[in-house]
Amino acid sequence: MSLAALAPFEIIHPRHGNAPLVVASPHSGRNYTAHFLKQSRLTPFALRRSEDCFVEELLQHAPDYGASLLHATFPRAYCDANREAWELDPSMFRDTLPGWCNTSSKKVKAGFGTIARLAGSGGLIYSRPLDFEEAEYRIRGCWYPYHAALASLIDGSVEKHGVCILLDGHSMPRQGQREQADFVLGNAWGTSCAPEVTTLVEDILMAHGYRVVRNMPFAGGYVTRHYGRPRKGVHALQMEISRHLYMDECTLQRHQGFSSLQHVLSGIMAELAKLGYRMASH
């Protein structure tokens, strides 16, 4: 089955109520089609190292607290929804890229544009150049529908409540030694959300004994910076979760810490929903 036959995202709507909270996972998709695998020089396992494995499952109780949960079904290695639409590396393509493409961003130069050159493991994904038509197919078929859905959820919350908190969920490889962060909260250096949003999440995590830092090394990607507009009522916070807390990074399997972390994250979403209602009432 081609990706064209699959919905590029899934939305799980609230079971009860409609809180001013949207929860999203743009990088946990794992529909690796035969066509994509044939294009890649890497094994499916190597490609999966680009995933934010199981993040949508960690956040799956969002609808219990009145929040919509949006997650991509396409893999990050196939198309990255946390980039601009057209951040493309010209060295990856046979033909000349259109002038509207951003070919010089830091992410492109690092190998991680909208269509990535490298997998999370650092390996080259493709053994031969792609046609621009391939990038256009992926971006129009995956990136645009995902962002149309996200924008619709945010706009709906703002229309109903005058405010929306967006929690953008990600995972990260373990950052070196044990004293490194368990969570990195990215608020684009204080510009993408009101201070109380970051502080609420940080306080809950620290109360559970987690090591939390802000903005280093992840201050927030395209989603956080594009949608976070506090003056317009939209408060976006990126949350990076260290994978060692809930999975074996070598086997890519969940371990015994998964359920306890899921419980903590559910508590965070419950409190963010309450904060959203308080912000809406002012």
Side-chain angles (χ1 to χ4, degrees):
M1 183 181 293
S2 70
L3 277 169
L6 299 169
F9 61 84
E10 181 181 13
I11 301 174
I12 305 172
H13 292 287
R15 297 167 178 83
H16 305 287
N18 190 353
L21 173 64
V22 173
V23 179
S25 175
H27 286 164
S28 56
R30 45 189 177 270
N31 283 333
Y32 292 89
T33 63
H35 175 69
F36 178 44
L37 294 177
K38 187 176 180 180
Q39 290 177 314
S40 174
R41 61 188 291 274
L42 299 177
T43 66
F45 186 84
L47 288 170
R48 288 202 64 202
R49 292 191 176 278
S50 293
E51 281 178 30
D52 289 348
C53 294
F54 314 122
V55 165
E56 88 286 4
E57 295 180 21
L58 287 170
L59 301 171
Q60 70 182 20
H61 294 301
D64 294 341
Y65 309 105
S68 292
L69 172 62
L70 166 70
H71 67 94
T73 58
F74 54 90
R76 178 187 190 179
Y78 183 83
C79 181
D80 193 334
N82 201 28
R83 301 287 179 265
E84 296 174 24
W86 304 98
E87 282 189 78
L88 300 176
D89 182 344
S91 72
M92 294 174 58
F93 297 92
R94 293 186 182 90
D95 32 1
T96 302
L97 298 179
W100 70 75
C101 295
N102 180 350
T103 60
S104 59
S105 73
K106 290 182 179 179
K107 292 296 185 180
V108 166
K109 291 179 178 178
F112 300 105
T114 318
I115 307 299
R117 176 167 49 85
L118 303 175
S121 59
L124 284 168
I125 296 176
Y126 306 100
S127 56
R128 61 192 66 177
L130 300 173
D131 294 321
F132 172 70
E133 183 180 19
E134 175 70 28
E136 191 170 27
Y137 174 80
R138 298 184 193 185
I139 292 166
R140 297 197 184 280
C142 295
W143 192 100
Y144 277 102
Y146 179 87
H147 281 277
L150 180 55
S152 178
L153 291 172
I154 292 170
D155 290 347
S157 178
V158 172
E159 183 177 349
K160 182 177 178 64
H161 301 287
V163 67
C164 178
I165 296 175
L166 169 63
L167 180 65
D168 200 46
H170 297 260
S171 70
M172 60 185 179
R174 190 169 193 169
Q175 302 291 298
Q177 303 302 314
R178 289 185 180 275
E179 65 271 14
Q180 298 301 307
D182 296 316
F183 288 83
V184 178
L185 302 180
N187 58 18
W189 301 101
T191 64
S192 68
C193 63
E196 55 263 40
V197 175
T198 308
T199 298
L200 181 148
V201 176
E202 184 178 60
D203 286 350
I204 293 173
L205 291 171
M206 291 177 69
H208 282 89
Y210 294 113
R211 295 173 294 276
V212 185
V213 300
R214 297 187 183 191
N215 294 310
M216 288 294 290
F218 307 111
Y222 173 82
V223 168
T224 307
R225 296 172 187 272
H226 178 74
Y227 292 100
R229 296 289 184 269
R231 292 183 180 180
K232 295 184 177 181
V234 183
H235 302 269
L237 179 67
Q238 178 175 291
M239 178 175 61
E240 292 275 359
I241 308 164
S242 184
R243 292 172 191 158
H244 83 276
L245 296 173
Y246 68 93
M247 63 178 280
D248 185 318
E249 295 186 67
C250 294
T251 65
L252 305 185
Q253 298 294 315
R254 305 167 195 81
H255 61 49
Q256 68 277 4
F258 187 93
S259 59
S260 60
L261 178 59
Q262 186 184 61
H263 178 75
V264 171
L265 296 176
S266 294
I268 286 173
M269 292 184 291
E271 293 303 316
L272 282 174
K274 293 176 186 177
L275 175 60
Y277 281 123
R278 291 197 297 273
M279 295 171 77
S281 67
H282 290 113

